[in-house]
């Protein structure tokens, strides 16, 4: 099992899913709810997101083949998509868009917008296909990517449970600083995806 695959999968999924940025949104979505209901909503959202990302990690390549998209082309497109996500993080556009997606879903936001698109968004789905969907990917690496994904989802759930405390500790400034640092890292990773795709086409 390649250690580099584990590191790349964790860093990319952590940055794309952004558990730290999701925490205050979870607080806003579940405002006024008791701890038990918050916990149930967070668990349901994480389970649905994990199923969606597993489907894309296992069957993503088959879907691409069916509609005639090559893996190098998807790598380039996925890299561009991740780069746009990084720009959103750097310039705070993603937080504003996510906050806009929360309106009107106060009753049970577990499936929408929490599970999708806030946790299992287009960037996370593309990442699963890029990391685990190539036909020549060893099954050990595919398994490792999915285990890492489940680990990141578990971290999302843990931070949801501690969202109120973390928001008080970091404050708006601390969350903004962490988000921008993650955005820079994601930008570099997205460029690497594009370079890998171009190299495969060459």
């Amino acid at each position: 099992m390649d250690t580099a695959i584990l590191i790349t999968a964790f860093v990319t999924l952590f940055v794309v899913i952004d558990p730290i940025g999701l925490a205050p949104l979870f607080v806003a979505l579940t405002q006024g709810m008791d701890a038990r209901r918050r916990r149930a909503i967070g668990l349901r959202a994480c389970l649905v997101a994990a199923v969606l990302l597993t489907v894309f990690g296992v069957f993503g390549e088959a879907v691409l083949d069916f509609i005639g998209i090559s893996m190098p082309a998807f790598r380039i497109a996925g890299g561009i998509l991740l780069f746009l996500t990084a720009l959103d993080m750097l310039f705070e556009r993603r937080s504003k868009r996510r906050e806009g997606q929360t309106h009107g879903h106060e009753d049970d936001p577990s499936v929408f917008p929490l599970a999708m698109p806030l946790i299992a968004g287009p960037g996370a789905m593309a990442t699963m296909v890029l990391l685990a969907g190539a036909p020549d990917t060893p099954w050990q690496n595919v398994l490792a990517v999915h285990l890492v994904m489940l680990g990141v989802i578990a971290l999302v759930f843990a931070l949801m449970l501690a969202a109120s405390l973390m928001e008080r500790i970091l404050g708006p400034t601390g969350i903004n600083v962490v988000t921008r640092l993650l955005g820079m890292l994601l930008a570099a990773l997205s460029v690497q995806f594009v370079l890998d795709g171009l190299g495969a086409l060459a």
Side-chain angles (χ1 to χ4, degrees), residues 97-123:
R97 184 169 63 250
R98 280 177 162 179
E99 288 166 3
Q101 290 170 334
T102 64
H103 298 316
H105 300 278
E106 292 84 0
D107 292 335
D108 187 357
S110 57
V111 176
F112 181 87
L114 273 176
M116 184 179 66
L118 295 184
I119 301 175

Side-chain angles (χ1 to χ4, degrees), residues 19-183:
I20 296 174
L22 279 173
L25 294 177
F26 178 74
V27 172
L29 281 167
T30 58
Q31 189 173 8
M33 298 180 184
D34 58 35
R36 182 178 179 181
R37 190 174 181 201
R38 272 187 166 181
R39 186 165 56 249
I41 288 175
L43 180 60
R44 185 159 53 247
C46 289
L47 289 175
V48 171
V51 170
L52 288 172
L53 294 180
T54 299
V55 168
F56 272 83
V58 175
F59 300 109
E61 176 68 14
V63 173
L64 293 180
D65 287 341
F66 180 75
I67 59 179
I69 299 175
S70 68
M71 196 62 195
F74 191 82
R75 284 186 180 277
I76 295 171
I80 294 172
L81 176 63
L82 295 180
F83 187 77
L84 292 176
T85 301
L87 290 180
D88 284 348
M89 294 175 69
L90 289 170
F91 296 103
E92 288 190 307
R93 293 195 294 261
R94 184 163 76 159
S95 294
K96 293 175 182 176
R97 184 169 63 250
R98 280 177 162 179
E99 288 166 3
Q101 290 170 334
T102 64
H103 298 316
H105 300 278
E106 292 84 0
D107 292 335
D108 187 357
S110 57
V111 176
F112 181 87
L114 273 176
M116 184 179 66
L118 295 184
I119 301 175
M125 293 176 182
T127 300
M128 289 302 295
V129 177
L130 291 173
L131 294 174
D136 57 346
T137 304
W139 70 267
Q140 296 94 332
N141 288 350
V142 173
L143 178 62
V145 169
H146 283 82
L147 290 176
V148 169
M149 178 270 291
L150 293 175
V152 173
I153 295 291
L155 184 58
V156 170
F157 181 62
L159 289 178
M160 282 180 173
L161 296 181
S164 300
L165 176 62
M166 187 182 68
E167 196 174 26
R168 288 196 297 269
I169 292 175
L170 289 178
T173 302
I175 291 175
N176 285 337
V177 169
V178 171
T179 299
R180 280 170 170 75
L181 288 174
L182 294 175

